[in-house]
Amino acid sequence: MWDGPNLYRMLETEWNQIAESSRARSACARWARGDAVLEGIVSPAEVVARCQARGDGAHSAAVLAAVLGHAATDNWAARTVLQAVLPGLASLSRRARPLVGAGRAWQHIDEVDQFLVANAYEWITALASEPPRWPAQAVVAKTWQRLRDVADRECQRSTRQDSLSELGDLSEVPQTTAAAELAQTLVEAVERGVLEQVDGWLVYASRVLGEPIEALATQLDRHPRSLWRRRRRAEQRLDAGAPLLVTLAAG
């Protein structure tokens, strides 16, 4: 287990030290001169607090979009938007855990955090010229797509045995059992694009290993009901793709 520094915690600590400083307040005053939606907001800390508060989502998005418009040329603006989307990036880090470990895309979770923060920052500056209506969602979604691209490449790179590494060690399953047959079918399904890697892991972990859906939901930071639905859809796709998998295996 990685016990090094947590990047999000470090960024949060830094933010608490700088977000109410005189330089931060001066930056906020500059932004407010050109956009009425920022009127009355006196610091970047207040911008982030408004954006992360529950309530008027449309107004919060408008506030963040106004700040984002300055991010290409103003480091304070870019840092403020990054701080606003950190909870979303932390959620992506949790979803990326299957890609972390020996022989995988990243060795430690801190490498995932660095990848996500760097890509989010890149998107923040790229979107500054035309801020989207919902900037936080846009930054997180585009960063998530970069993460998915890495996951796809990792799946394509892996061999049959480790392309579905999250299923566990298949050598521990007696090869004459139905469990081993299901594991092999799931490996085929992931390699052929019938299932996503996480879906194969979900079916195997719940059906073969007997892991409760509720426990898996905690690992994936999902609601159990969403995992029940996801497993049902995965099994439907597996059933629909069975003839193709049999043909490919025979070939």
Side-chain angles (χ1 to χ4, degrees), residues 151-228:
D152 290 344
R153 290 196 298 272
E154 176 70 7
C155 187
Q156 294 167 9
R157 181 195 64 79
S158 300
T159 64
R160 171 171 296 190
Q161 178 65 25
D162 61 20
S163 67
L164 198 54
S165 57
E166 284 305 305
L167 295 184
D169 186 356
L170 300 187
S171 65
E172 296 178 356
V173 182
Q175 294 304 301
T176 58
T177 67
E181 293 181 8
L182 175 58
Q184 191 60 45
T185 298
L186 291 169
V187 169
E188 291 279 358
V190 171
E191 289 187 340
R192 305 299 181 181
V194 175
L195 294 180
E196 293 186 22
Q197 186 170 358
V198 68
D199 292 325
W201 173 80
L202 174 61
V203 173
Y204 186 81
S206 59
R207 293 298 194 189
V208 178
L209 302 182
E211 294 284 345
I213 288 291
E214 291 74 15
L216 299 176
T218 299
Q219 293 182 43
L220 296 175
D221 194 30
R222 301 285 187 84
H223 193 284
R225 283 199 299 270
S226 71
L227 282 199
W228 283 110

Side-chain angles (χ1 to χ4, degrees), residues 55-66:
D56 191 346
H59 177 70
S60 296
V63 167
L64 194 59

Side-chain angles (χ1 to χ4, degrees), residues 35-223:
D35 203 316
V37 75
L38 298 175
E39 184 177 351
I41 299 178
V42 299
S43 71
E46 188 175 349
V47 170
V48 172
R50 290 201 183 192
C51 292
Q52 293 181 348
R54 297 181 182 274
D56 191 346
H59 177 70
S60 296
V63 167
L64 194 59
V67 177
L68 177 60
H70 298 272
T73 57
D74 188 323
N75 290 334
W76 275 106
R79 180 65 178 86
T80 300
V81 177
L82 177 64
Q83 188 66 29
V85 302
L86 282 187
L89 300 182
S91 179
L92 296 188
S93 290
R94 291 191 292 271
R95 298 175 71 178
R97 284 172 184 163
L99 296 172
V100 178
R104 303 185 190 180
W106 292 284
Q107 295 297 301
H108 303 293
I109 192 65
D110 69 311
E111 296 172 1
V112 179
D113 296 341
Q114 292 167 13
F115 172 86
L116 293 173
V117 168
N119 276 274
Y121 199 91
E122 181 181 335
W123 279 114
I124 288 167
T125 56
L127 293 170
S129 59
E130 294 185 28
R133 181 179 179 185
W134 301 98
Q137 290 89 328
V139 171
V140 173
K142 287 182 177 295
T143 305
W144 166 240
Q145 186 56 57
R146 291 272 179 89
L147 183 64
R148 287 292 303 272
D149 290 343
V150 172
D152 290 344
R153 290 196 298 272
E154 176 70 7
C155 187
Q156 294 167 9
R157 181 195 64 79
S158 300
T159 64
R160 171 171 296 190
Q161 178 65 25
D162 61 20
S163 67
L164 198 54
S165 57
E166 284 305 305
L167 295 184
D169 186 356
L170 300 187
S171 65
E172 296 178 356
V173 182
Q175 294 304 301
T176 58
T177 67
E181 293 181 8
L182 175 58
Q184 191 60 45
T185 298
L186 291 169
V187 169
E188 291 279 358
V190 171
E191 289 187 340
R192 305 299 181 181
V194 175
L195 294 180
E196 293 186 22
Q197 186 170 358
V198 68
D199 292 325
W201 173 80
L202 174 61
V203 173
Y204 186 81
S206 59
R207 293 298 194 189
V208 178
L209 302 182
E211 294 284 345
I213 288 291
E214 291 74 15
L216 299 176
T218 299
Q219 293 182 43
L220 296 175
D221 194 30
R222 301 285 187 84
H223 193 284

